[in-house]
C-alpha cells in the first residue's frame, strides 16, 4: 500500500519522525482520528493544526493548511468569501 505523502499533516508528522501513536497521544486525539486526518477522510480543525505544527516543529504546516482549506474558524464555522471583491491596482 502506497503512502499518500501529498497530505501535509502526514508529511509534517513524518518529517518530525514521530510515530502516529505517540503523536495522537500528545495531541490528545484518538489514533483513528489522526489517521483519518492524514488520509484526508476528515477535515482537520484549525486548533489541531496549530498543536500539530508545534509538536512536529513545522510552522509551514499552518500555511499549507490555510492554503488548502476554505477560510474556517473553529468557533463560527465556515466563512464564505466568494462575495468579496478584490481591490484593483492600476499601474
Amino acid at each position: 500500500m502506497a503512502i499518500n505523502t501529498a497530505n501535509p499533516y502526514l508529511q509534517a508528522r513524518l518529517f518530525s519522525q514521530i510515530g502516529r501513536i505517540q503523536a495522537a497521544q500528545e495531541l490528545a486525539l484518538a489514533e483513528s482520528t489522526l489517521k483519518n486526518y492524514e488520509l484526508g477522510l476528515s477535515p482537520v480543525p484549525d486548533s489541531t493544526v496549530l498543536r500539530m505544527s508545534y509538536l512536529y516543529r513545522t510552522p509551514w504546516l499552518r500555511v499549507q493548511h490555510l492554503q488548502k482549506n476554505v477560510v474556517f474558524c473553529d468557533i463560527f464555522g465556515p466563512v464564505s468569501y466568494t462575495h468579496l471583491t478584490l481591490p484593483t491596482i492600476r499601474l
Side-chain angles (χ1 to χ4, degrees), residues 12-24 26 38 55-57:
R13 184 176 60 75
L14 294 176
F15 175 82
S16 71
Q17 299 182 342
I18 297 175
R20 183 181 291 144
I21 295 171
Q22 180 185 352
E26 294 193 35
E38 292 179 349
L55 174 63
Y56 302 156
R57 297 181 185 200

Side-chain angles (χ1 to χ4, degrees), residues 19-80:
R20 183 181 291 144
I21 295 171
Q22 180 185 352
Q25 289 172 345
E26 294 193 35
L27 293 167
L29 299 171
E31 182 186 357
S32 60
T33 301
L34 181 58
K35 182 178 180 179
N36 287 341
Y37 293 159
E38 292 179 349
L39 293 175
L41 301 176
S42 300
V44 186
D46 297 340
S47 58
T48 301
V49 174
L50 184 61
R51 293 193 331 260
M52 285 176 169
S53 71
Y54 286 124
L55 174 63
Y56 302 156
R57 297 181 185 200
T58 53
W60 49 264
L61 180 60
R62 289 173 261 172
V63 175
Q64 286 191 347
H65 173 74
L66 291 174
Q67 288 175 337
K68 211 176 158 190
N69 294 285
V70 175
V71 176
F72 189 83
C73 176
D74 289 322
I75 298 170
F76 301 110
V79 177
S80 173

